[in-house]
Amino acid sequence: TESNNLKVSIGVTLKKDDLDPQGKTIMKALKGMNFNNVNEVRQGKYFEIDIEEKNKKNAEDKVAEMCNKLLANLVIEDYKIIGSQ
């Protein structure tokens, strides 16, 4: 049977212009472990949403609406829909 559900993955990070102290701390720790080729680390959130929708574009549009209304603080964060399956 064909499933009516899609799983949509979203990444949320602080906007590039905003200070990311956790990312800087992680980068400093990595450099301390001799991962010297790391230029930047942005720390963020990851969501997987299982949505009852068979059309990929409709599912991603609904998830974008969720991000705009709740999942991301658009004043300081950006989100990116990573993929759907």
Side-chain angles (χ1 to χ4, degrees):
T1 63
E2 189 176 321
S3 173
N4 287 335
N5 292 6
L6 284 169
K7 188 181 289 184
V8 182
S9 302
I10 309 105
V12 179
T13 57
L14 289 171
K15 291 185 178 193
K16 284 283 185 189
D17 296 340
D18 284 344
L19 187 63
D20 184 352
Q22 289 178 314
K24 291 211 181 306
T25 300
I26 294 166
M27 187 175 85
K28 187 176 179 181
L30 289 171
K31 287 193 180 273
M33 301 167 96
N34 290 322
F35 293 105
N36 295 315
N37 57 344
V38 176
N39 294 320
E40 183 181 29
V41 175
R42 304 291 296 170
Q43 190 269 339
K45 302 178 275 191
Y46 173 79
F47 297 95
E48 280 186 356
I49 297 180
D50 189 322
I51 187 169
E52 193 170 315
E53 177 62 66
K54 37 183 169 178
N55 180 287
K56 187 175 178 177
K57 181 177 180 341
N58 289 347
E60 290 182 356
D61 287 348
K62 284 288 183 195
V63 169
E65 187 178 346
M66 293 174 201
C67 290
N68 288 324
K69 291 183 175 182
L70 176 69
L71 301 178
N73 178 347
L74 298 180
V75 174
I76 61 169
E77 294 175 320
D78 289 322
Y79 70 88
K80 181 177 185 179
I81 294 177
I82 300 166
S84 308
Q85 53 181 345

